[in-house]
Amino acid sequence: MFSGSKQAGAGKTGVWFAYFLIYVVWGSTYYFIGVALEGLPPFLLGAIRFSVAGALLLGWCCFRGEPVFRSSLIRKSAVSGIVLLFVDMAVVMLAQQYLDSSLVAIIASSTAIWIMALDVPMWKRNFHNAATLTGILIGFLGVIMLYIEQLKPDATHPHREYGVLILVFGCISWSLGTLYAKYRSAAAEEVNAFAGSAWQMLFASAMFWLCSFITGDAGHTDLTKVPATTWFSLAYLIVFGSLMAYSAYVWLLKVRPATEVGTHAYVNPIVAVLIGTTLGKEHVTPVQIAGLAVILLGVMLVSKRYSR
């Protein structure tokens, strides 16, 4: 899977470890986001998470003597940080007010399909045969299945269909941000991926702080009453979800094809469902399992074709 000149330069061990982080660790963050939201409102949670993570990562880059204050790096990181991090993470957290973390992860697994559909420079290669188009259509069918199921009344989770629509918007935003980071944020040899990640987090945090003050989240939240489980989950999201997994994601975009990196959608929902049903006692319906299977089938079809 990880063959080629790019991997040789990046180091096989580093590539495999980075994939472990975005496959498994990212899958676990859906559950911890849900726990953190029990004590903090969405925008304030995002503001604290990315402020701390971004500042720590930027400080580490400065300590290593990296040129982190280049205007081109800051400017391009601002765009990808807002589109890739702020919009996507905001909608994920907002969606989890309507849906369980397991279902959020299942719907988010369609991201690889969106990357394929929106990767304009690769359209000629991606859409070269019927198998790729079939995979994309199958993936979208899985999302439609899940949306239709959420139209059924549920007293525990009212307006679940809103959560699905919010997530679809987030998947599109994440895909566009991924492709921007791949093609426009700067070449791998010109920009350090970790410095770029730090600036992206800081710009995302600025947007989260702005929204938290506009909505009143920042002024109306008593931090002394936030439960310990929320702080633990926030620490997990900062260290493992942001500092490690997100940095690994941005780095992989520099050394591997964007659609291949998007295959974290294979594993993320499975990890999220396992954690959600065991630790979170969430209920996953047969339709949701079927929808996940359909989406992953589509993802595998398009990714298999792309990797040839």
Side-chain angles (χ1 to χ4, degrees):
M1 177 179 178
F2 304 123
S3 60
S5 58
K6 285 186 177 182
Q7 182 186 335
K12 182 179 294 186
T13 302
V15 170
W16 277 106
F17 181 65
Y19 270 107
F20 169 79
L21 290 174
I22 70 169
Y23 279 4
V24 180
V25 173
W26 248 356
S28 68
T29 58
Y30 290 95
Y31 170 75
F32 288 101
I33 288 173
V35 175
L37 287 172
E38 294 176 0
L40 290 171
F43 292 122
L44 185 58
L45 172 60
I48 297 174
R49 173 185 176 181
F50 292 113
S51 292
V52 175
L56 289 174
L57 188 56
L58 190 66
W60 181 76
C61 291
C62 290
F63 177 76
R64 287 169 51 89
E66 298 171 5
V68 300
F69 294 104
R70 294 172 56 184
S71 60
S72 60
L73 170 64
I74 296 174
R75 183 178 64 255
K76 293 173 181 178
S77 295
V79 176
S80 53
I82 293 173
V83 177
L84 188 62
L85 263 185
F86 168 69
V87 176
D88 181 74
M89 292 310 305
V91 299
V92 165
M93 291 187 290
L94 290 173
Q96 287 196 216
Q97 296 182 320
Y98 300 97
L99 307 170
D100 289 334
S101 64
S102 298
L103 182 55
V104 170
I106 290 173
I107 297 174
S109 66
S110 65
T111 298
I113 301 292
W114 285 107
I115 291 176
M116 174 69 72
L118 298 172
D119 193 355
V120 177
M122 295 297 294
W123 273 1
K124 184 176 181 180
R125 179 180 178 183
N126 292 345
F127 299 148
H128 185 68
N129 69 359
T132 300
L133 292 175
T134 301
I136 291 176
L137 293 175
I138 289 175
F140 289 149
L141 175 62
V143 175
I144 293 172
M145 288 172 55
L146 296 172
Y147 177 74
I148 293 175
E149 186 196 34
Q150 304 314 306
L151 295 176
K152 299 178 181 179
D154 187 329
T156 306
H157 297 89
H159 302 299
R160 296 179 301 171
E161 69 278 10
Y162 295 169
V164 176
L165 293 176
I166 290 172
L167 275 174
V168 169
F169 175 75
C171 289
I172 295 173
S173 175
W174 180 269
S175 301
L176 291 173
T178 294
L179 295 171
Y180 181 88
K182 177 68 177 178
Y183 294 116
R184 299 292 300 277
S185 66
E189 63 272 16
E190 297 176 346
V191 172
N192 180 276
F194 298 114
S197 298
W199 282 116
Q200 288 172 23
M201 292 179 201
L202 290 175
F203 279 107
S205 72
M207 295 299 299
F208 275 114
W209 280 117
L210 177 63
C211 291
S212 68
F213 280 110
I214 292 175
T215 59
D217 287 354
H220 298 152
T221 302
D222 186 353
L223 297 180
T224 63
K225 296 182 180 180
V226 175
T229 53
T230 292
W231 291 121
F232 172 80
S233 297
L234 177 58
Y236 181 91
L237 293 171
I238 291 172
V239 175
F240 294 99
S242 296
L243 289 177
M244 297 180 67
Y246 183 69
S247 295
Y249 182 76
V250 174
W251 177 75
L252 280 171
L253 287 174
K254 304 298 183 183
V255 299
R256 302 302 303 162
T259 304
E260 180 186 285
V261 178
T263 58
H264 62 81
Y266 291 159
V267 182
N268 285 174
I270 297 174
V271 173
V273 168
L274 289 175
I275 295 178
T277 54
T278 54
L279 296 181
K281 307 300 182 183
E282 297 174 356
H283 176 64
V284 179
T285 68
V287 173
Q288 291 170 17
I289 296 297
L292 173 60
V294 170
I295 291 172
L296 293 186
L297 174 61
V299 172
M300 286 187 287
L301 282 174
V302 297
S303 296
K304 181 179 180 181
R305 172 63 189 170
Y306 183 90
S307 62
R308 288 178 181 175

